[in-house]
Amino acid sequence: MRVKDEIKQNAIIEATVALVNEIGFASSSVSKIAKRANVSPATIYIYYKNKDDLLVSTYIKIKTCLGEALMGDFDPSLPVHDTLMNAGAELFNYITKHRELFYFAEQFANSPYSDLVEKAQIEAAFQPLFELLQFGIDQKIIKDAPFELLLAHLYHPIFNLVNPRLNPHFKATQKNIDLAMSMAWDAIKL
Amino acid sequence: MRVKDEIKQNAIIEATVALVNEIGFASSSVSKIAKRANVSPATIYIYYKNKDDLLVSTYIKIKTCLGEALMGDFDPSLPVHDTLMNAGAELFNYITKHRELFYFAEQFANSPYSDLVEKAQIEAAFQPLFELLQFGIDQKIIKDAPFELLLAHLYHPIFNLVNPRLNPHFKATQKNIDLAMSMAWDAIKL
Amino acid sequence: MRVKDEIKQNAIIEATVALVNEIGFASSSVSKIAKRANVSPATIYIYYKNKDDLLVSTYIKIKTCLGEALMGDFDPSLPVHDTLMNAGAELFNYITKHRELFYFAEQFANSPYSDLVEKAQIEAAFQPLFELLQFGIDQKIIKDAPFELLLAHLYHPIFNLVNPRLNPHFKATQKNIDLAMSMAWDAIKL
Amino acid sequence: MRVKDEIKQNAIIEATVALVNEIGFASSSVSKIAKRANVSPATIYIYYKNKDDLLVSTYIKIKTCLGEALMGDFDPSLPVHDTLMNAGAELFNYITKHRELFYFAEQFANSPYSDLVEKAQIEAAFQPLFELLQFGIDQKIIKDAPFELLLAHLYHPIFNLVNPRLNPHFKATQKNIDLAMSMAWDAIKL
DNA sequence: GATGAATGAGCCTTCATTCAT
DNA sequence: GATGAATGAAGGCTCATTCAT
C-alpha cells in the first residue's frame, strides 16, 4: 500500500495558510484549499478529520513553533531584562520571517474557531516564559501582576503593531521595534 | 413610518451582533440574521446593499460610538495623565456595558471584512485623542513615538485583556484594570 | 411576496415518483429530482424539510390516496364477500391506473425509509376495512384470525403478483385477477 | 491460504448483511462494509467485481440457501398437502433462524438492485417446488392456476407477515403460523 | 416598504473505485 | 493477496441575493 505523503501534507498546510491570508477565513473553502495544494478535496480528509480539524491543527502547529522559536534558547545566566528583550527581538524576527504563519494565527485566534482549541496545550509551550516572569517578580525586578497583565503589556503591543490589518501605517523599522520593546519594559519593570 | 423603520433597523443590527457573537462570523448567514430579527431576508436588503454592507456598517457604527464615549468629555484643563487615565477607565466602562458590541468589533477588526472599511473614517473619530497625545509629546510628558506605538501600549493591552477569547482566565477586577492602566502610563510617559 | 406554487410542488412529487421508478431509490438524488422537476435543488427545501421528508411525505400521500380509493364507497348493504371482492377489484384498478405511484410505494415500504413513517397514520386510512373484517368475523363469515393474517392472505397476493420486480412473468389478465381474488376468499372465509 | 480467504470472504458477507439491515441499503457504502469486516476497501474488490456484484452475489447466495433449506428433503411418498405444509414450516424455521439473511433478501428483492439478478438462476433452485405443484394440479388436488398465483397465496403471506417492517405488530406464534399455513392451503386447494 | 418564494452557485463531506507498495 | 492512500464525481444542503406580490 501507499504511504502517507509528507510532501502532500505540507502542501495542504501551506495552501491553507496562503489562502486564508489572501481571501480570508470564511471564504477559504476546502475545495479551494485542495485546488491550491494540487490535491483532491477528498485527500484532505485523509489527513484531517474535517475542515475544523485542518484549521485547528494548522493553528496549533504554528503556535507551538512560535513558542519554540521564542524560548528555544533562554540563557539562564543573563539578566531577566536582557532575556525578555531578546525574546522580543526573536519574536519580531519570527514574525518577519514567517509573516504568512503569523497573520493566519492572528486571524484564527480572534475567530470563533479559536474556541475549539485546547488552550492549555498552547500555554504549555510558553511555560519557560511564565517561569522567567515569576522569577523576575520574585527578584522584585518586575511588577507583581498576573501573567496575563504582564504579557498584555510586554509582547502584545508588538503583535498589534506588526499586524497590517490593525496598523496599516506602522513602519516596522528596527528603531520602532526597539522603541516598542523599551516601552514594554517600562510598563512591566518595577 | 419613520419610527417603524428604526425599530426594524435596530432589530437587524442587534440580531447581527448577537448572532455573530454566538455562532461566529462565517456561520452568520443573512437568513439566520433575518430570522433572529423577525424580519424577512429581503427586508435586510432594503436597509443594506448586501451582506458586506450590513456587517461593515454595523462595525463602523459601533466604532464611532466607542470613539464618542471615549472622548466625549475631554476636559482640556486636566493634566494629560489624568485625561488619558480617565479615558482608559471610560473605555473599560464602555466595554463592560456593551460587551456584545465590543466582541463583535474585535472579531470584525481581525477578519478580512476589516479590509473593506475606510480606515480614515474611523480614525477621524479618534482625532481628539491624537491631538492630546501630540500635546503630551510637545510638552515632553509623553515619549516622542508614533501614535500607533503609543496607542499600542496605552489602550491595546486593555482590549486584549478584556477579550475572553484571548485571555480566558483574566479577571477584570477594578484592581487589575487600575494596574493595567498604570502600567500603560509607565510605558508611554517620558 | 410570491405565493407557494402548487404546480411546482406537484412537479416535484411527480419527478420524485418517476425518477425513483426509473433509476431506483438510492440513486435518486435531490439534484436529479430537481432537474427532472425543472426546479432548483434549493426549491425542494422550501417545500420539504429535507430529502427524507420529501420521500416520506410522498409515500404517505400515495398511501392515503390508495386508502380512499379502496374504501371510498363501501356499501354497508352488500354482503361482506361482495364488498371485499369489490375492494380487491378497486385495488387492482387503482394499481393499474397509477402504476407509478404503486411501484414507488412498494419500493418505499420495503426500504429503511419505511421506518421513518408513523405507521398509525397510515393504518387510520384503512380503518373501514378493519371494521368490515371484524364484522365478518362476528358474523362467522370470516375466519377468526388477527387482521394482519387476514390481510396478508386477502390483498397481499395481489400486491405481490402485480409487482413486475417480484413476478416478471405474471400476466395481469382479468381472469387471473378474478382467480386471485377467489383464492383469497377461500383463504379467509370460514 | 485457502482457509484464510474463506474467513475473509465470510466476514465481508456478514458485514454486508448486518450493515444493510442496520443502516439500510443506500447508506451502506463499500468502505463502511470494509470497516465492519475488518478489511481494506480494496480487498473487497479482490473478491467482487464491484459494489453491485457484492450485493447481488450475497443475495443469490442467500436465496439459493433458502431454496435448499426449503426443498432439500422433499419426500415423494408423502401427500402433496403434507409436503407443502412441511415446506411452509421449514420456511418459517429458516426465516426465524436466519432473520438477518431474510431481511436483507427482502430489502434487496424490492429494490432496483433486484433488476440485476438473473431471475432464472434463482427459479432453478425452486424447481422441485414447481414440479410438486404441477403434480398437485395434475392430480386435481390443487387449483389449476399459474405457479405465480399459487405461490403468491401459498408462501408469500408468510414472507409478508414475518417482516417486521411490513407487519410490526404481528406475533409469530406457532398458532399464528399454523393458521397462516392452513389459510394458504384453503386458498390453493381445489 | 415589506415579504416569503425562488434560485444557481457553492458549501463540506463521502462515494466507488484504483493506485502503489 | 492484501493494504491504506488517493481521487474526481457526486452527495445533501445552505448561501447571498432577487423576484413577484
Side-chain angles (χ1 to χ4, degrees), chain D residues 127-140:
Chain D
Q127 199 52 39
L129 181 55
F130 294 147
E131 282 164 16
L132 183 64
L133 289 174
Q134 189 57 55
F135 177 77
I137 294 171
D138 293 343
Q139 299 290 318
K140 306 217 183 286

Side-chain angles (χ1 to χ4, degrees), chain C residues 1-2 29-32 42 45 50-51:
Chain C
M1 60 129 192
R2 261 189 262 187
S29 70
V30 171
S31 60
K32 280 181 197 158
Y45 289 86
N50 50 34
K51 192 191 179 183

Side-chain angles (χ1 to χ4, degrees), chain A residues 157-168:
Chain A
I158 291 280
F159 275 83
N160 178 243
L161 286 165
V162 135
N163 187 335
R165 182 122 62 208
L166 300 173
N167 275 293

Side-chain angles (χ1 to χ4, degrees), chain C residues 31 41 43 68 80 89 105 121:
Chain C
S31 60
T43 303
E68 278 167 22
V80 170
Q121 193 177 352

